[in-house]
Amino acid sequence: MTLTGPQPTSQTPDGQPGTPRQHTALPKAHILVEALPWITRFHGATVVIKFGGNAMVDEDLKAAFAQDVVFLRHVGLRPVVVHGGGPQINAQLDRLGLESEFRGGLRVTSPEAMEVVRMVLAGQVQRELVGLLNRHGPLAVGMTGEDAHTLTATQRYAYQDGQPVDIGRVGAITGVEVGAVQALLDDGRIPVVSSIARGESEEPGADGGVYNVNADTAAAALAAALGAEALMVLTDVEGLYADWPHSEDVISELTATELERLLPELSSGMVPKMEGCLHAVRGGVRTARILDGRVPHSILLEIFTDEGIGTMVLPDPVPVSDSDAVTDQPADQPEGA
């Protein structure tokens, strides 16, 4: 029988087998092998991903993000996507002649602006993201925090010069119900959640209205309520800088207490992201990570490679009590030997 195609080895002039050929696809096999222990570790784990930054407006980055999330789903993880939509909201407000005003780092949200926020998040950003994910199969299902009472909020105030400032329909999360999200995950779906919350009301059955909730805060609250393995926040920086703007060195890892000490020194844009990470790890999430969403496939690089990228926040180590301390006594010798 005559074999066609390339032979597995080269041959010497006398027809004897030589050295193996160097296949051009071999580096891909090495990458897959490197990913194997991470795939094994995270199989079955819930991961909450906050979609934001440049990845929301760059078409190539949006497509790469969708591929990453679907990849997670197909290798056995349970991804949940939470999104805001600042650039899209600003553009729509401009078209309608409504002013975009911020106080204390938060968007002033009048009732008129709230309708725009609701329309843009649920009707534009979410639908586009669900469509990108569903190019790879019938996986993604869109919902808002209003649905099934997933997120409940009360009015949040900004602070300027130490004084509270009314900023309208901006919410602070007071409750999370994960039943609908959990049901979608159990059905093999990818929930895509818009950061809008129902308003709480003291009257049973009363409508407390709706609130615009910071997407970083919403993602952190949902991750904690789900008992997620990880919270991943996509942004437009490499991670948390050690001494910005004097240095571009990124802190690769820090504990919750170390992060809490740094919070007063952070820029206003990083505060809600890092507060979300702090809330998540103190609420039972094993790790919270800040990733550079400008890097294509940053999620896969973070989870499935040995190096990873960005900044990881970890819970504080549990103190070891005297009774738990490990002695130098060999395990196979009796006491006093």
Side-chain angles (χ1 to χ4, degrees):
M1 180 176 65
T2 302
L3 297 175
T4 60
Q7 299 299 304
T9 62
S10 59
Q11 291 185 341
T12 60
D14 61 0
Q16 297 301 312
T19 57
R21 293 184 186 274
Q22 294 299 311
H23 293 282
T24 56
L26 191 58
K28 296 181 181 179
H30 291 315
I31 293 169
L32 293 172
V33 170
E34 181 182 339
L36 180 58
W38 303 109
I39 293 173
T40 302
R41 174 181 170 182
F42 289 112
H43 187 85
T46 298
V47 178
V48 176
I49 306 164
K50 187 266 179 166
F51 179 57
N54 240 29
M56 295 192 73
V57 294
D58 182 285
E59 296 302 321
D60 291 336
L61 291 176
K62 281 190 285 189
F65 173 82
Q67 291 171 335
D68 284 7
V69 174
V70 171
F71 186 93
L72 297 184
R73 160 65 178 74
H74 282 307
V75 296
L77 283 78
R78 293 153 56 96
V80 178
V81 178
V82 179
H83 71 89
Q88 294 88 341
I89 292 170
N90 289 341
Q92 186 62 23
L93 289 173
D94 288 344
R95 279 192 287 269
L96 296 174
L98 297 173
E99 183 180 1
S100 294
E101 183 182 359
F102 291 83
R103 294 183 185 174
L106 298 170
R107 181 188 299 276
V108 178
T109 309
S110 65
E112 296 80 10
M114 186 66 233
E115 289 304 310
V116 174
V117 169
R118 205 176 189 183
M119 175 184 68
V120 170
L121 293 187
Q124 178 185 339
V125 179
Q126 182 191 96
R127 300 320 309 164
E128 181 182 18
L129 184 52
V130 167
L132 286 170
L133 292 165
N134 284 342
R135 287 180 183 177
H136 306 281
L139 300 170
V141 177
M143 59 185 294
T144 77
E146 298 174 77
D147 297 330
H149 292 184
T150 299
L151 299 177
T152 300
T154 189
Q155 185 173 2
R156 178 177 179 178
Y157 292 84
Y159 283 83
Q160 290 184 329
D161 300 322
Q163 299 298 315
V165 179
D166 187 343
I167 51 176
R169 305 299 299 179
V170 176
I173 294 174
T174 57
V176 183
E177 294 285 345
V178 298
V181 174
Q182 195 70 59
L184 289 170
L185 290 172
D186 292 344
D187 193 39
R189 309 298 175 182
I190 301 172
V192 179
V193 185
S194 301
S195 58
I196 304 168
R198 65 183 282 270
E200 67 175 16
S201 175
E202 296 181 0
E203 296 295 329
D207 181 9
V210 293
Y211 285 99
N212 177 24
V213 176
N214 180 279
D216 300 304
T217 304
L222 194 55
L226 285 166
E229 171 74 21
L231 167 68
M232 312 187 79
V233 179
L234 268 66
T235 185
D236 283 342
V237 294
E238 295 175 89
L240 183 61
Y241 293 109
D243 188 23
W244 181 261
H246 307 294
S247 169
E248 294 186 357
D249 292 338
V250 173
I251 301 172
S252 60
E253 186 178 298
L254 74 168
T255 65
T257 296
E258 289 170 339
L259 172 57
E260 190 171 36
R261 293 195 199 104
L262 289 175
L263 279 176
E265 305 171 13
L266 301 182
S267 64
S268 60
M270 286 299 288
V271 168
K273 295 172 176 44
M274 302 317 301
E275 285 182 337
C277 290
L278 183 62
H279 173 80
V281 297
R282 287 195 165 156
V285 179
R286 293 188 61 177
T287 65
R289 310 167 189 227
I290 299 293
L291 305 182
D292 190 346
R294 301 168 300 178
V295 178
H297 304 297
S298 57
I299 295 172
L300 300 187
L301 291 171
E302 175 64 18
I303 295 182
F304 297 124
T305 67
D306 294 338
E307 292 84 4
I309 61 174
T311 296
M312 180 188 301
V313 182
L314 299 167
D316 292 316
V318 178
V320 178
S321 65
D322 292 340
S323 60
D324 294 330
V326 178
T327 68
D328 293 330
Q329 182 71 41
D332 58 350
Q333 291 187 12
E335 291 184 3

